[in-house]
Amino acid sequence: MMLRTCRVLYSQAGPSAGGWQPLSFDGAAFHLKGTGELTRALLVLRLCAWPPLVTHGLVLQAWSQRLLGSRLSGALLRASVYGQFVAGETAEEVRGCVQQLQTLGLRPLLAVPTEEEPDSAVKTGEAWYEGNLSAMLRCVDLSRGLLETPGTTGNILMQLKVTALTSSRLCKELTSWVRRPGAPSELSPERLAEAMDSGRGFQVPCLNAEQNQHLQSSLRRLQQVVQHARAQHVRLLVDAEYTSLNPALSLLVAALAVRWNSPREGGPWVWNTYQAYLKDTYEQLRRDAEAADRSGLAFGVKLVRGAYLDKERKVALLQGAKDPTQPDYEATRQSYSRCLELMLTHVSQRGPLCHLMVASHNEETVCQATKRMWELGIPLDGPVCFGQLLGMCDHVSLALGQAGYAVYKSIPYGSLEEVIPYLIRRAQENRSVLQGARRERELLSQELWRRLLGGA
Ligand SMILES: Cc1cc2nc3c(=O)[nH]c(=O)nc-3n(C[C@H](O)[C@H](O)[C@H](O)COP(=O)(O)OP(=O)(O)OC[C@H]3O[C@@H](n4cnc5c(N)ncnc54)[C@H](O)[C@@H]3O)c2cc1C
């Protein structure tokens, strides 16, 4: 019904009826995929819609290893969940997966799956962050190497999780200072940018010696990744996390933006992520977009609904604090829609100085974005692109890609041991999306029946 409405709207609106192509998310684009792939997708999406599997995923994995042995259990995972949502372990496997996506008109958005464990001495030590730095630098090289036509730059994107390079404990501390009215002047984007650029000793008076030391190392790591990404023409999309960390993450992004999003650099090279499920996101986005405009900096935004709803609410309840999230799904929908409208208007006014990724699997959202792009005269393959997770909502990604839009699939890669805990946590955070993938499962089923019955 919604899609039908969308099509009617499209055909009535817009500056020139000739240029617009209505999108149809009816699974027709599945003809591009092999039967094996479709069958695996259907089985895995069915399995993931079963709540106990997601809730007890790690325990079940440990049991299956004990009962079947790690080889057989690993083979089963590779043929199912890992194969569906992960590109592979080696650079060669990632390349193979990406080449397949490219033939379908989709682009890679590589993500290094790192999970900090605040209670683990190993996964919070300086050596762990240094290891992650090396992984990020390799990811930049891999992203660059995956480019279809060497020489075409500007459209290589990669995800960056800041808490892989700096501890969430420090981010929490910074957040608590940033939120205070009289935050120290050292915690301004300009001062942090200066410190990153000079690499000289930098002390923030409100932090202790150990925290200052870790901040300095973190700034060096961030600067190193962005410097390398800039040299390789790879744009970095910084992930948004919890509200207890986000103000610190945004401060670090703002500091990086001072140096790397200046017009002479041809950026934006560092983008921030905005979560529409938070009550104050629209205002924050408006302020940041206007500030970037005033200071002449390029501005890059990944717009998402937000993945940590349950945890945000639980923490607010535990702390007796105000719930930062929207009261219900409809309020999040409206917030996303307003943020989207705001950003598309900015893009249409600022051109290539303002970039947007519409990171959503939601058909109505994608529909709204494509319609407004057409109305505002924003080119299909310009500063606005779309993002979906690998293995999810291929009927939306393929329809967009076939219509000529820039579509990125967020692609985790790494060994089974590294990626499965990450995938299970992601699945828990995106439980509602996996359970709501009913339409995708129906379309997959329809296509498989069609093939089985010998349809054209
Ligand atoms: C490329 C890419 C990058 C991403 N990067 C990030 C990131 O950096 N940080 C991050 O947090 N997430 C990120 N996500 C995940 C994203 O935030 C969403 O969780 C996910 O995409 C589902 O939203 P949707 O619009 O696709 O689907 P929909 O099914 O339309 O929306 C589901 C979302 O609606 C919201 N919602 C559901 N129920 C309620 C409720 N009762 N009240 C209020 N809100 C509700 C939640 O945000 C939920 O995730 C990313 C997703 C993609 C595709």
Side-chain angles (χ1 to χ4, degrees):
M1 177 63 188
M2 182 274 298
L3 285 177
R4 228 177 299 137
T5 316
C6 199
R7 258 175 244 165
V8 174
L9 272 174
Y10 277 9
S11 50
Q12 287 170 349
S16 69
W20 172 76
Q21 286 295 315
L23 280 181
S24 147
F25 305 119
D26 57 6
F30 280 149
H31 75 270
L32 298 163
K33 295 205 130 201
T35 303
E37 274 180 287
L38 296 180
T39 312
R40 183 186 64 195
L42 182 60
L43 288 176
V44 171
L45 290 177
R46 281 230 164 109
L47 273 176
C48 292
W50 190 49
L53 191 83
V54 174
T55 308
H56 307 294
L58 281 173
V59 180
L60 290 171
Q61 191 214 350
W63 269 95
S64 98
Q65 255 184 2
R66 223 169 291 153
L67 288 173
L68 306 172
S70 37
R71 228 190 229 183
L72 187 54
S73 135
L76 277 176
L77 282 171
R78 277 178 192 283
S80 56
V81 182
Y82 182 93
Q84 177 70 13
F85 298 119
V86 183
E89 186 168 345
T90 62
E92 217 35 63
E93 284 171 351
V94 176
R95 249 177 239 123
C97 168
V98 169
Q99 269 162 14
Q100 222 179 338
L101 289 179
Q102 283 168 339
T103 58
L104 301 171
L106 309 177
R107 300 173 187 179
L109 172 68
L110 295 189
V112 180
T114 47
E115 291 290 298
E116 190 194 33
E117 289 174 18
D119 300 325
S120 143
V122 175
K123 287 202 168 184
T124 51
E126 215 53 58
W128 187 70
Y129 297 110
E130 286 298 319
N132 291 339
L133 168 65
S134 307
M136 296 289 179
L137 295 174
R138 285 197 301 273
C139 188
V140 169
D141 290 334
L142 188 54
S143 300
R144 169 70 183 173
L146 292 171
L147 194 65
E148 258 174 314
T149 25
T152 332
T153 50
N155 58 11
I156 317 172
L157 311 182
M158 173 189 140
Q159 270 176 262
L160 175 72
K161 195 173 169 193
V162 168
T163 53
L165 302 175
T166 185
S167 75
S168 49
R169 210 170 289 162
L170 178 65
C171 290
K172 270 190 192 148
E173 184 67 25
L174 290 176
T175 295
S176 76
W177 284 101
V178 170
R179 278 182 175 153
R180 290 179 208 189
S185 60
E186 286 79 4
L187 292 183
S188 72
E190 293 72 21
R191 294 289 296 276
L192 286 169
E194 243 175 68
M196 282 186 197
D197 243 359
S198 70
R200 280 198 298 271
F202 177 70
Q203 298 289 316
V204 181
C206 59
L207 301 181
N208 65 30
E210 192 189 330
Q211 289 168 332
N212 264 310
Q213 184 65 44
H214 182 55
L215 176 63
Q216 241 178 67
S217 310
S218 305
L219 294 180
R220 173 186 45 79
R221 283 188 282 265
L222 283 166
Q223 177 79 343
Q224 221 173 314
V225 174
V226 185
Q227 201 164 15
H228 187 55
R230 169 69 189 90
Q232 296 297 322
H233 302 277
V234 175
R235 300 179 195 270
L236 295 172
L237 278 56
V238 173
D239 284 346
E241 302 184 41
Y242 298 98
T243 44
S244 56
L245 313 175
N246 285 341
L249 306 184
S250 296
L251 172 66
L252 294 169
V253 171
L256 290 165
V258 169
R259 164 74 173 83
W260 298 104
N261 290 353
S262 68
R264 74 189 150 92
E265 292 290 345
W269 295 103
V270 186
W271 304 21
N272 205 357
T273 297
Y274 291 79
Q275 296 158 316
Y277 72 178
L278 297 178
K279 285 177 188 147
D280 59 6
T281 290
Y282 177 80
E283 275 311 310
Q284 188 65 48
L285 180 60
R286 192 182 55 76
R287 277 197 301 271
D288 291 354
E290 283 171 8
D293 197 3
R294 268 197 311 276
S295 54
L297 292 177
F299 189 51
V301 166
K302 166 156 61 87
L303 185 59
V304 301
R305 278 186 168 73
Y308 309 106
L309 187 70
D310 295 346
K311 281 194 196 148
E312 289 286 3
R313 289 179 173 172
K314 216 180 273 172
V315 170
L317 196 67
L318 269 173
Q319 296 177 343
K322 233 172 76 189
D323 179 359
T325 63
Q326 299 286 357
D328 50 34
Y329 179 77
E330 176 55 20
T332 299
R333 190 196 66 77
Q334 284 180 20
S335 163
Y336 195 102
S337 174
R338 288 180 73 211
C339 293
L340 181 59
E341 182 60 33
L342 176 81
M343 278 309 296
L344 290 174
T345 310
H346 269 272
V347 170
S348 70
Q349 288 162 355
R350 295 195 74 203
L353 278 177
C354 190
H355 283 232
L356 169 69
M357 173 179 276
V358 182
S360 174
H361 307 96
N362 186 298
E363 294 175 20
E364 189 188 343
T365 293
V366 168
C367 217
Q368 180 193 352
T370 53
K371 172 177 177 268
R372 291 297 290 145
M373 282 169 71
W374 174 67
E375 288 172 347
L376 294 165
I378 298 171
L380 264 52
D381 187 6
V384 176
C385 64
F386 293 83
Q388 283 103 36
L389 304 177
L390 182 71
M392 295 267 313
C393 282
D394 282 350
H395 62 294
V396 175
S397 312
L398 290 170
L400 278 166
Q402 294 299 304
Y405 292 92
V407 192
Y408 290 79
K409 286 297 232 185
S410 170
I411 302 180
Y413 64 96
S415 68
L416 260 180
E417 299 75 45
E418 285 164 340
V419 177
I420 291 297
Y422 163 91
L423 275 185
I424 290 173
R425 263 186 278 264
R426 287 292 94 84
Q428 288 167 352
E429 283 152 6
N430 287 292
R431 199 184 288 268
S432 67
V433 185
L434 285 168
Q435 278 160 23
R438 187 170 301 135
R439 188 172 146 71
E440 188 177 3
R441 296 196 301 270
E442 276 168 17
L443 293 173
L444 284 163
S445 215
Q446 260 174 36
E447 175 65 15
L448 285 168
W449 274 112
R450 193 187 62 80
R451 289 187 192 187
L452 200 67
L453 299 176

